[in-house]
Amino acid sequence: MRKWIPAVSTGSTGRYAHVLADLIGQLGQPRFTSALLEGLNPVVPAASFSIYQTGHNCVPQLFMSGSFGVPDTTRDCWRAYLSGPYLSDQTLVSERAGDSTPLLCHITAQEVPVQHRARVYEAHGVAERVSVVQQTGASLLALNFYRHQHQRPFSDQQVAGFADMAPALLALAKKHIALSSPPQAADPIAAWQQRLRQLNPALTPRELDVCARLLTGMTQDGIASDLGLSLPSVKTYRNRAFARLGIHFRNELFALLLRAPAVPPANQR
C-alpha cells in the first residue's frame, strides 16, 4: 500500500481539460455519476467507483457509486463494508491526525486486512483501488476507483494520471454532492426518529430518543446529558431498542437505516 500527498502539477489541467470540462457540465445532474467513471476510464481504467463518508461519531453515507463494463455490485460492496470492516479500516486514514490535506492511496486486495478483503474485495471480484481522501473533523470523504480481477493491474502511468487529476476530482465530487443533495432536515433527531418509527413501530419514545441521537453521532455520555438521564439508563434503552431491531452494535444501526428506504409521512404521499 502506498499513501502520498498530491503534488501541484501545472501541466495536468490542460492534459485532462476535456474530462474536467465534461464533468463540470454535469455538476448537479444525474449523468455526473456515469460521466465520472467513463471520463476517467482512458486515464485510469477502473470498473467501478464509490464516493462515501465514514468516520468515528459520523453516520456512514454512500453518496454515489457505479460500474463500467461489469454488473454493478457497488451497493452490495458498501453493505459488506458496513457489516464490520469499516470500523477498523485504516487504509484511507492519514498518519497526520487532524490534517485536512487531500491524501492519495494506492492499494491491492492482498494488502487489505483479511476480513475487509474477504467480504468486499474477494466477494465482488475487486483487485485494486486508487483513492483520494480528505479528512474534515471526525469525518472522512473518500473518492475511490477500483480495478476488478478481469483487468490488468493499474500501471505506474495510470496511477500518476489519477494523482494529477485527484484534487480537481475531489473538488468536483464535493460540489456535485452539495448541488444534488436534498436540503438537510431542520431537526435531524426528529428525522431519525421518524425513520426508526417506520422501521419498527414497537420502539418506545425513550428508545427512539436514544437511537436517534446515536445516529447523529452523539456519544452515550452526551445522550445522557442531553436527555437528563443516567448513563446506565441510556445503555438500558439502547439495549432494549437494539433487541427489538435484532442488532447488537451502533454500526449495525447505521447499516439498518441505510438499507431501509425512507417512507414519507402519509400526508406527503
Side-chain angles (χ1 to χ4, degrees):
M1 177 174 66
R2 186 162 65 106
K3 297 180 184 178
W4 72 107
I5 304 298
V8 177
S9 174
T10 56
S12 61
T13 302
R15 199 182 322 159
Y16 307 116
H18 63 290
V19 177
L20 298 176
D22 185 45
L23 290 174
I24 290 169
Q26 301 297 332
L27 281 172
Q29 304 300 315
R31 192 181 174 277
F32 181 87
T33 297
S34 59
L36 180 60
L37 191 56
E38 293 170 21
L40 196 65
N41 200 262
V43 184
V44 180
S48 61
F49 89 105
S50 64
I51 302 177
Y52 57 70
Q53 173 185 273
T54 62
H56 294 294
N57 296 324
C58 164
V59 180
Q61 185 171 358
L62 179 66
F63 292 110
M64 66 189 88
S65 66
S67 294
F68 183 74
V70 297
D72 189 358
T73 61
T74 52
R75 292 193 174 272
D76 292 333
C77 287
W78 175 244
R79 285 189 285 269
Y81 186 55
L82 289 183
S83 71
Y86 95 94
L87 288 172
S88 56
D89 184 11
Q90 296 296 306
T91 64
L92 296 172
V93 178
S94 172
E95 286 78 10
R96 299 186 296 182
D99 189 353
S100 61
T101 304
L103 177 74
L104 295 167
C105 176
H106 176 212
I107 190 169
T108 63
Q110 290 73 26
E111 298 172 290
V112 176
V114 174
Q115 182 196 62
H116 189 171
R117 181 170 69 242
R119 293 189 186 182
V120 180
Y121 283 69
E122 293 175 349
H124 300 94
V126 179
E128 191 176 6
R129 183 190 78 212
V130 288
S131 308
V132 57
V133 188
Q134 187 168 36
Q135 186 98 22
T136 305
S139 67
L140 180 150
L141 179 68
L143 172 54
N144 311 285
F145 289 85
Y146 306 94
R147 176 180 70 84
H148 287 223
Q149 291 172 356
H150 69 282
Q151 298 176 292
R152 292 182 178 179
F154 291 140
S155 67
D156 291 343
Q157 183 179 3
Q158 289 166 347
V159 173
F162 174 76
D164 280 346
M165 295 185 69
L169 292 172
L170 182 64
L172 286 170
K174 289 165 68 175
K175 186 64 174 179
H176 176 73
I177 291 167
L179 289 172
S180 59
S181 297
Q184 296 295 310
D187 185 350
I189 290 175
W192 281 122
Q193 286 174 326
Q194 178 183 318
R195 293 284 306 278
L196 287 160
R197 198 177 292 112
Q198 292 165 350
L199 191 64
N200 190 326
L203 291 168
T204 68
R206 273 305 189 207
E207 291 165 0
L208 290 168
D209 287 340
V210 169
C211 287
R213 284 163 174 79
L214 286 173
L215 287 162
T216 64
M218 292 178 66
T219 65
Q220 292 183 82
D221 286 327
I223 294 170
S225 175
D226 192 46
L227 294 175
L229 299 171
S230 67
L231 184 57
S233 294
V234 169
K235 291 180 178 179
T236 296
Y237 290 125
R238 178 206 60 189
N239 292 341
R240 288 177 181 171
F242 282 11
R244 294 187 202 276
L245 295 168
I247 59 176
H248 298 90
F249 304 105
R250 183 197 294 236
N251 69 298
E252 292 177 299
L253 180 64
F254 289 144
L256 195 63
L257 269 293
L258 288 169
R259 287 197 299 267
V263 180
N267 61 359
Q268 294 181 17
R269 294 175 189 168

